[in-house]
Amino acid sequence: MVKICCLGAGYVGGPTMAVIALKCPEVEVAVVDISVSRINAWNSDQLPIYEPGLEEVVKQCRGKNLFFSSDVEKHVMEADIVFVSVNTPTKTQGLGAGKAADLTYWESAARMIADVSKSDKIVVEKSTVPVKTAEAIEKILTHNSKGINFQILSNPEFLAEGTAIQDLFNPDRVLIGGRETPEGAKAMQALKDVYAHWVPVERIICSNLWSAELSKLAANAFLAQRISSVNAISALCEATGADVTQVSHSVGTDSRIGPKFLNASVGFGGSCFQKDILNLVYICECNGLPEVANYWKQVIKINDYQKNRFVNRVVSSMFNTVSGKKIAILGFAFKKDTGDTRETPAIDVCEGLLGDKARLSIYDPQVSEEQIQRDLSMKKFDWDHPIHLQPMSPTAVKQVSVVWDAYEATKDAHGLCILTEWDEFKNLDYERIFDNMQKPAFVFDGRNVVDAEKLRKIGFIVYSIGKPLDAWLKDMPAVA
Ligand SMILES: NC(=O)C1=CN([C@@H]2O[C@H](COP(=O)(O)OP(=O)(O)OC[C@H]3O[C@@H](n4cnc5c(N)ncnc54)[C@H](O)[C@@H]3O)[C@@H](O)[C@H]2O)C=CC1
Ligand SMILES: O=C(O)[C@H]1O[C@H](OP(=O)(O)OP(=O)(O)OC[C@H]2O[C@@H](n3ccc(=O)[nH]c3=O)[C@H](O)[C@@H]2O)[C@H](O)[C@@H](O)[C@@H]1O
């Protein structure tokens, strides 16, 4: 029986391994983590992450061929294939701070694999890593290997949160990079055999190691670039009276461009886009390519601009001050159908409003008060470390309350901001909300989920990203 072990029971390791276990009943899969609380949660009824369809998959395999354990060394020792899906945060100190990937967790994983291994193993990079990481890992493994043969493969993950199970069941492609040697080819074939249980072979792409590593960074950069492009156009739409939804539709019907991933928003979030682009920028700089680095940097600059622009719209519309005013925040997660708040635009928007002394009442169907308070007190990039190593917030932010209902959040508020596109925000009773708000009552829709005309008829002043402006807003121009 083939034994697989995955280091890192997070958003990638957990769902990916659960799907491998489901699709390959004859493979034994152990998911291990240095965070004991995370492993306990995977073994309980309350999984540590919210992902549609995940619970069903886990319940079908857990205890049969899928195991969650904190006995990291035992499972690594027994495995034929070891996936490494640990955090690769942005460095906050030292060389490359603010850009380069921090490979501390990866390196300690590699050293541990070398220490405990007694048989040959295939080591698979699942985390997103800088190009040439496999070379460094190979050096660590071979210098400490006691004659054991390790083959390193790059098998980056392309799932998106909120649709992870769907994406894993039916991936556009699976990418496997390996050494161009007979041993490398054999290792690639072994991993290919795992995926071939459910992925059509023509969707399994094989490449050299460096192409696979770079393809992952490039794919995320291209995706984020689309969002920054449409967001840049959204600012121009507001200035000219064009409607960004109509523009993206017209642009996206060109089959060379395609319709997906062209929704204007308050800005992209999530644990990876910014981190991976910064990483790409750093690699370009290190390779003497400042023009290429600057090109990709703009994607992040526009994203920051979009978040600032949103805050400025809110403040300038409300007579240039939100001091002491209650603002309802609907949605805190970085996108719908996840409870993940890593690098969510809601953090920047809330911090911007708090900077102008607003009082915030926040509601998100999947994010706890503790998480929101932690996010609003944490330093940039601290969120991307194993949970037990993250600094505890010393005090809660006083001007913030977290409630469990959109109606409670909006009661007596001067304005409401929609920051996550949860479906339930489309169908709220906005008449009831209007009646219970201060007047004039404002809606700032950062995800274009509400029917602005309908809300205007109720009496709201509405701002939607990239849409023709309300007369009220035209008189109060916001500069970022
Ligand atoms: N979240 C996502 O949607 C995607 C993430 N990725 C990449 O996958 C990697 C992991 O991301 P997530 O799963 O989101 O992170 P995560 O933070 O949810 O999970 C990482 C886990 O690794 C554990 N860990 C750290 N060092 C360890 C060690 N030495 N041994 C055992 N466990 C260890 C941590 O305790 C944590 O539970 C990152 O490189 C990320 O860029 C790639 C595609 C999608
Ligand atoms: O490497 C990763 O971590 C993953 O990053 C993204 O997945 P994810 O961040 O989970 O979610 P996305 O659906 O890509 O959304 C990212 C952000 O962009 C925003 N977005 C997305 C699409 C769009 O049209 N407009 C827009 O503002 C979302 O609201 C969200 O804040 C990629 O889509 C995955 O392929 C990749 O594996």
Side-chain angles (χ1 to χ4, degrees):
M1 187 186 226
V2 174
K3 285 193 177 184
I4 289 179
C5 173
C6 176
L7 293 172
Y11 283 87
V12 169
T16 313
M17 293 302 126
V19 168
I20 290 182
L22 182 78
K23 299 291 185 180
C24 311
E26 78 288 6
V27 174
E28 190 180 295
V29 182
V31 192
V32 298
D33 204 291
I34 49 173
S35 162
V36 176
S37 64
R38 231 178 192 185
I39 290 297
N40 290 343
W42 279 108
N43 282 321
S44 76
D45 287 336
Q46 190 71 47
L47 300 185
I49 62 177
Y50 171 70
E51 191 63 63
L54 174 65
E55 201 173 305
E56 289 80 347
V57 177
V58 170
K59 278 189 176 154
Q60 280 184 65
C61 317
R62 197 172 52 189
K64 290 185 190 139
N65 66 331
L66 175 67
F67 303 93
F68 295 94
S69 168
S70 42
D71 195 345
V72 178
E73 299 189 356
K74 170 181 174 281
H75 289 285
V76 169
M77 193 169 67
E78 290 175 356
D80 306 293
I81 304 177
V82 181
F83 284 84
V84 184
S85 182
V86 301
N87 318 64
T88 49
T90 304
K91 274 183 91 170
T92 49
Q93 284 183 315
L95 188 65
K99 279 185 270 191
D102 176 351
L103 293 176
T104 313
Y105 303 108
W106 237 107
E107 185 176 336
S108 81
R111 287 182 186 278
M112 186 272 299
I113 297 170
D115 271 357
V116 306
S117 292
K118 295 199 168 72
S119 56
D120 293 354
K121 294 194 194 310
I122 297 170
V123 177
V124 185
E125 285 177 350
K126 198 55 158 164
S127 304
T128 304
V129 289
V131 196
K132 294 276 174 173
T133 298
E135 197 164 67
I137 301 304
E138 221 167 40
K139 283 187 183 139
I140 292 170
L141 290 171
T142 46
H143 276 77
N144 295 280
S145 74
K146 304 157 280 184
I148 293 163
N149 186 271
F150 291 104
Q151 277 302 318
I152 322 291
L153 299 179
S154 164
N155 172 221
E157 184 48 61
F158 296 102
L159 68 78
E161 288 176 29
T163 53
I165 297 299
Q166 236 170 281
D167 296 341
L168 288 164
F169 279 176
N170 191 21
D172 286 345
R173 80 307 211 179
V174 165
L175 177 57
I176 303 176
R179 283 278 182 202
E180 289 155 310
T181 59
E183 298 77 22
K186 203 171 146 207
M188 284 163 86
Q189 187 59 45
L191 188 56
K192 208 172 167 181
D193 289 345
V194 172
Y195 285 109
H197 279 78
W198 79 98
V199 180
V201 280
E202 63 278 9
R203 288 205 212 155
I204 305 179
I205 305 173
C206 291
S207 73
N208 76 28
L209 272 171
W210 325 129
S211 304
E213 288 177 336
L214 183 54
S215 299
K216 173 63 194 176
L217 294 179
N220 273 0
F222 275 48
L223 287 168
Q225 186 256 15
R226 276 176 82 92
I227 303 169
S228 280
S229 295
V230 77
N231 281 345
I233 294 295
S234 78
L236 193 54
C237 285
E238 288 166 32
T240 57
D243 178 327
V244 75
T245 310
Q246 294 175 358
V247 175
S248 2
H249 178 70
S250 313
V251 170
T253 45
D254 184 326
S255 61
R256 293 168 302 175
I257 297 172
K260 292 183 187 166
F261 242 71
L262 285 178
N263 293 321
S265 66
V266 59
F268 61 75
S271 63
C272 293
F273 280 174
Q274 176 170 289
K275 158 175 90 69
D276 294 348
I277 293 176
L278 288 171
N279 190 347
L280 188 65
V281 165
Y282 183 68
I283 296 168
C284 293
E285 286 172 354
C286 291
N287 280 284
L289 301 168
E291 289 80 4
V292 186
N294 284 335
Y295 173 75
W296 289 112
K297 240 187 243 171
Q298 285 302 320
V299 173
I300 293 176
K301 280 197 182 162
I302 287 288
N303 200 45
D304 289 338
Y305 164 80
Q306 188 76 345
K307 291 182 276 190
N308 282 335
R309 213 165 71 74
F310 187 86
V311 172
N312 291 351
R313 275 283 180 217
V314 176
V315 178
S316 70
S317 309
M318 298 171 80
F319 315 103
N320 235 13
T321 176
V322 288
S323 179
K325 291 176 186 166
K326 177 176 172 179
I327 311 278
I329 303 292
L330 301 189
F332 198 81
F334 82 97
K335 62 187 279 198
K336 74 170 181 177
D337 292 337
T338 178
D340 195 352
T341 59
R342 293 178 293 178
E343 207 61 55
T344 173
I347 295 177
D348 298 79
V349 171
C350 288
E351 283 178 352
L353 295 173
L354 289 168
D356 220 286
K357 297 194 181 152
R359 290 183 296 122
L360 304 182
S361 184
I362 305 178
Y363 163 66
D364 186 291
Q366 284 297 332
V367 187
S368 68
E369 174 162 14
E370 190 202 348
Q371 185 63 51
I372 290 173
Q373 284 291 358
R374 195 141 41 116
D375 287 334
L376 292 177
S377 341
M378 220 181 304
K379 281 208 247 104
K380 204 164 172 61
F381 303 127
D382 275 352
W383 47 265
D384 200 11
H385 291 265
I387 200 131
H388 61 290
L389 301 178
Q390 285 173 16
M392 281 305 180
S393 56
T395 47
V397 183
K398 280 203 300 291
Q399 309 91 301
V400 170
S401 64
V402 177
V403 295
W404 285 100
D405 175 80
Y407 299 102
E408 188 58 36
T410 49
K411 199 164 163 240
D412 292 324
H414 290 256
L416 76 87
C417 301
I418 299 176
L419 301 184
T420 314
E421 71 283 19
W422 286 103
D423 289 337
E424 66 178 73
F425 299 154
K426 285 184 193 148
N427 302 315
L428 292 170
D429 181 349
Y430 281 100
E431 304 237 9
R432 176 178 160 198
I433 289 177
F434 181 78
D435 289 344
N436 289 324
M437 281 176 68
Q438 304 279 341
K439 309 293 174 322
F442 296 84
V443 171
F444 302 93
D445 185 358
R447 298 288 185 168
N448 288 349
V449 293
V450 298
D451 180 339
E453 279 319 308
K454 212 164 128 191
L455 263 59
R456 284 190 185 116
K457 282 198 188 109
I458 295 173
F460 284 106
I461 294 161
V462 185
Y463 166 71
S464 307
I465 301 271
K467 303 277 182 171
L469 290 180
D470 220 290
W472 180 288
L473 298 158
K474 271 192 199 145
D475 297 337
M476 306 207 173
V479 280

